[in-house]
Amino acid sequence: MPESPERPQPERETMTIPKLAERVGRSRTLIHRLATNPAEGWPQPVFRPGSSRPEYDVVWFDEYWAQRQAGIRQGRRTDLEQSEGGE
């Protein structure tokens, strides 16, 4: 017998901004700033019934964070280089 097409989708794990910050070891302020910056492309949050705290999909966040971290490059110190003038 085929399964009913009306079967509900499995619920995806979501977390609030403080939990996401704890997950990656960063501040809540940073995660909130990223979540509210339209240029970062975050999805719309979901809200649990009776709660006003936004939550985000954990799988999406893990992928987003990995891409973000891969794109960060440490700068090179230029204050230790000698100038061409022979100093």
PDB file of all heavy atoms in Angstrom, residues 5 7 10 20 27 33 37 39 41 44 59-60 62 67-68:
ATOM      1  N   PRO A   5       0.095  10.732   0.810  1.00  0.00           N
ATOM      2  CA  PRO A   5       0.815  11.950   0.427  1.00  0.00           C
ATOM      3  C   PRO A   5       0.623  13.087   1.423  1.00  0.00           C
ATOM      4  O   PRO A   5       1.287  14.106   1.348  1.00  0.00           O
ATOM      5  CB  PRO A   5       0.213  12.296  -0.932  1.00  0.00           C
ATOM      6  CG  PRO A   5      -1.128  11.673  -0.931  1.00  0.00           C
ATOM      7  CD  PRO A   5      -1.005  10.437  -0.061  1.00  0.00           C
ATOM      8  N   ARG A   7       1.271  12.934   4.548  1.00  0.00           N
ATOM      9  CA  ARG A   7       2.159  12.745   5.701  1.00  0.00           C
ATOM     10  C   ARG A   7       2.948  14.033   5.949  1.00  0.00           C
ATOM     11  O   ARG A   7       3.513  14.612   5.023  1.00  0.00           O
ATOM     12  CB  ARG A   7       3.111  11.585   5.426  1.00  0.00           C
ATOM     13  CG  ARG A   7       3.911  11.182   6.648  1.00  0.00           C
ATOM     14  CD  ARG A   7       4.777   9.997   6.374  1.00  0.00           C
ATOM     15  NE  ARG A   7       5.954  10.482   5.644  1.00  0.00           N
ATOM     16  CZ  ARG A   7       6.671   9.757   4.817  1.00  0.00           C
ATOM     17  NH1 ARG A   7       6.334   8.524   4.560  1.00  0.00           N
ATOM     18  NH2 ARG A   7       7.720  10.251   4.208  1.00  0.00           N
ATOM     19  N   PRO A  10       9.161  15.860   8.068  1.00  0.00           N
ATOM     20  CA  PRO A  10       9.859  15.791   9.353  1.00  0.00           C
ATOM     21  C   PRO A  10      10.324  17.197   9.752  1.00  0.00           C
ATOM     22  O   PRO A  10      10.745  17.988   8.916  1.00  0.00           O
ATOM     23  CB  PRO A  10      11.055  14.883   9.072  1.00  0.00           C
ATOM     24  CG  PRO A  10      11.174  14.810   7.594  1.00  0.00           C
ATOM     25  CD  PRO A  10       9.844  15.147   7.010  1.00  0.00           C
ATOM     26  N   LEU A  20      23.036  29.342  18.486  1.00  0.00           N
ATOM     27  CA  LEU A  20      23.909  29.304  17.310  1.00  0.00           C
ATOM     28  C   LEU A  20      25.272  29.892  17.648  1.00  0.00           C
ATOM     29  O   LEU A  20      26.307  29.368  17.232  1.00  0.00           O
ATOM     30  CB  LEU A  20      23.278  30.056  16.139  1.00  0.00           C
ATOM     31  CG  LEU A  20      22.014  29.440  15.544  1.00  0.00           C
ATOM     32  CD1 LEU A  20      21.405  30.379  14.513  1.00  0.00           C
ATOM     33  CD2 LEU A  20      22.288  28.075  14.957  1.00  0.00           C
ATOM     34  N   SER A  27      30.162  35.474  19.560  1.00  0.00           N
ATOM     35  CA  SER A  27      29.238  36.251  20.384  1.00  0.00           C
ATOM     36  C   SER A  27      27.842  36.296  19.771  1.00  0.00           C
ATOM     37  O   SER A  27      27.668  36.190  18.558  1.00  0.00           O
ATOM     38  CB  SER A  27      29.753  37.680  20.559  1.00  0.00           C
ATOM     39  OG  SER A  27      29.627  38.395  19.346  1.00  0.00           O
ATOM     40  N   ARG A  33      24.006  40.366  14.299  1.00  0.00           N
ATOM     41  CA  ARG A  33      24.364  41.318  13.244  1.00  0.00           C
ATOM     42  C   ARG A  33      24.337  40.643  11.875  1.00  0.00           C
ATOM     43  O   ARG A  33      23.830  41.199  10.896  1.00  0.00           O
ATOM     44  CB  ARG A  33      25.734  41.928  13.519  1.00  0.00           C
ATOM     45  CG  ARG A  33      26.050  43.096  12.598  1.00  0.00           C
ATOM     46  CD  ARG A  33      27.354  43.757  12.950  1.00  0.00           C
ATOM     47  NE  ARG A  33      28.438  42.868  12.559  1.00  0.00           N
ATOM     48  CZ  ARG A  33      29.506  42.601  13.292  1.00  0.00           C
ATOM     49  NH1 ARG A  33      29.654  43.146  14.466  1.00  0.00           N
ATOM     50  NH2 ARG A  33      30.433  41.797  12.854  1.00  0.00           N
ATOM     51  N   ASN A  37      21.535  41.454   8.714  1.00  0.00           N
ATOM     52  CA  ASN A  37      22.135  42.147   7.569  1.00  0.00           C
ATOM     53  C   ASN A  37      21.608  41.510   6.281  1.00  0.00           C
ATOM     54  O   ASN A  37      21.927  40.356   5.994  1.00  0.00           O
ATOM     55  CB  ASN A  37      23.661  42.025   7.644  1.00  0.00           C
ATOM     56  CG  ASN A  37      24.348  42.744   6.509  1.00  0.00           C
ATOM     57  OD1 ASN A  37      23.727  43.220   5.567  1.00  0.00           O
ATOM     58  ND2 ASN A  37      25.661  42.821   6.605  1.00  0.00           N
ATOM     59  N   ALA A  39      22.517  41.720   3.293  1.00  0.00           N
ATOM     60  CA  ALA A  39      23.585  41.291   2.395  1.00  0.00           C
ATOM     61  C   ALA A  39      24.063  39.873   2.709  1.00  0.00           C
ATOM     62  O   ALA A  39      24.641  39.213   1.847  1.00  0.00           O
ATOM     63  CB  ALA A  39      24.757  42.264   2.468  1.00  0.00           C
ATOM     64  N   GLY A  41      22.110  37.325   3.398  1.00  0.00           N
ATOM     65  CA  GLY A  41      21.191  36.371   2.780  1.00  0.00           C
ATOM     66  C   GLY A  41      20.597  35.322   3.702  1.00  0.00           C
ATOM     67  O   GLY A  41      20.329  34.203   3.268  1.00  0.00           O
ATOM     68  N   GLN A  44      14.272  33.639   6.284  1.00  0.00           N
ATOM     69  CA  GLN A  44      13.342  34.128   7.292  1.00  0.00           C
ATOM     70  C   GLN A  44      13.364  33.172   8.488  1.00  0.00           C
ATOM     71  O   GLN A  44      13.410  31.954   8.307  1.00  0.00           O
ATOM     72  CB  GLN A  44      11.924  34.200   6.728  1.00  0.00           C
ATOM     73  CG  GLN A  44      11.732  35.316   5.726  1.00  0.00           C
ATOM     74  CD  GLN A  44      11.897  36.672   6.380  1.00  0.00           C
ATOM     75  OE1 GLN A  44      11.404  36.921   7.479  1.00  0.00           O
ATOM     76  NE2 GLN A  44      12.617  37.557   5.707  1.00  0.00           N
ATOM     77  N   VAL A  59      20.925  22.974   9.972  1.00  0.00           N
ATOM     78  CA  VAL A  59      21.651  22.465   8.810  1.00  0.00           C
ATOM     79  C   VAL A  59      22.066  23.627   7.909  1.00  0.00           C
ATOM     80  O   VAL A  59      23.209  23.710   7.454  1.00  0.00           O
ATOM     81  CB  VAL A  59      20.799  21.431   8.029  1.00  0.00           C
ATOM     82  CG1 VAL A  59      21.462  21.040   6.721  1.00  0.00           C
ATOM     83  CG2 VAL A  59      20.535  20.211   8.893  1.00  0.00           C
ATOM     84  N   TRP A  60      21.123  24.553   7.657  1.00  0.00           N
ATOM     85  CA  TRP A  60      21.440  25.725   6.837  1.00  0.00           C
ATOM     86  C   TRP A  60      22.564  26.533   7.491  1.00  0.00           C
ATOM     87  O   TRP A  60      23.513  26.938   6.828  1.00  0.00           O
ATOM     88  CB  TRP A  60      20.209  26.618   6.641  1.00  0.00           C
ATOM     89  CG  TRP A  60      20.572  27.870   5.912  1.00  0.00           C
ATOM     90  CD1 TRP A  60      20.619  28.036   4.566  1.00  0.00           C
ATOM     91  CD2 TRP A  60      21.019  29.095   6.494  1.00  0.00           C
ATOM     92  NE1 TRP A  60      21.065  29.305   4.268  1.00  0.00           N
ATOM     93  CE2 TRP A  60      21.325  29.981   5.441  1.00  0.00           C
ATOM     94  CE3 TRP A  60      21.198  29.537   7.799  1.00  0.00           C
ATOM     95  CZ2 TRP A  60      21.784  31.276   5.640  1.00  0.00           C
ATOM     96  CZ3 TRP A  60      21.664  30.825   8.006  1.00  0.00           C
ATOM     97  CH2 TRP A  60      21.948  31.678   6.938  1.00  0.00           C
ATOM     98  N   ASP A  62      24.919  25.630   9.627  1.00  0.00           N
ATOM     99  CA  ASP A  62      26.218  24.948   9.572  1.00  0.00           C
ATOM    100  C   ASP A  62      26.877  25.122   8.198  1.00  0.00           C
ATOM    101  O   ASP A  62      28.076  25.374   8.104  1.00  0.00           O
ATOM    102  CB  ASP A  62      26.071  23.466   9.903  1.00  0.00           C
ATOM    103  CG  ASP A  62      25.786  23.228  11.385  1.00  0.00           C
ATOM    104  OD1 ASP A  62      25.998  24.154  12.206  1.00  0.00           O
ATOM    105  OD2 ASP A  62      25.343  22.110  11.719  1.00  0.00           O
ATOM    106  N   GLN A  67      30.998  28.005   4.880  1.00  0.00           N
ATOM    107  CA  GLN A  67      31.346  28.836   3.720  1.00  0.00           C
ATOM    108  C   GLN A  67      31.919  30.168   4.158  1.00  0.00           C
ATOM    109  O   GLN A  67      32.875  30.663   3.572  1.00  0.00           O
ATOM    110  CB  GLN A  67      30.129  29.065   2.840  1.00  0.00           C
ATOM    111  CG  GLN A  67      29.685  27.845   2.085  1.00  0.00           C
ATOM    112  CD  GLN A  67      28.420  28.098   1.289  1.00  0.00           C
ATOM    113  OE1 GLN A  67      27.819  29.168   1.345  1.00  0.00           O
ATOM    114  NE2 GLN A  67      27.998  27.091   0.544  1.00  0.00           N
ATOM    115  N   ARG A  68      31.346  30.748   5.194  1.00  0.00           N
ATOM    116  CA  ARG A  68      31.820  32.039   5.686  1.00  0.00           C
ATOM    117  C   ARG A  68      33.253  31.913   6.214  1.00  0.00           C
ATOM    118  O   ARG A  68      34.108  32.737   5.922  1.00  0.00           O
ATOM    119  CB  ARG A  68      30.896  32.548   6.795  1.00  0.00           C
ATOM    120  CG  ARG A  68      31.249  33.926   7.279  1.00  0.00           C
ATOM    121  CD  ARG A  68      30.222  34.410   8.309  1.00  0.00           C
ATOM    122  NE  ARG A  68      30.448  35.792   8.629  1.00  0.00           N
ATOM    123  CZ  ARG A  68      31.396  36.232   9.442  1.00  0.00           C
ATOM    124  NH1 ARG A  68      32.202  35.369  10.026  1.00  0.00           N
ATOM    125  NH2 ARG A  68      31.544  37.510   9.685  1.00  0.00           N
TER     126      ARG A  68
END
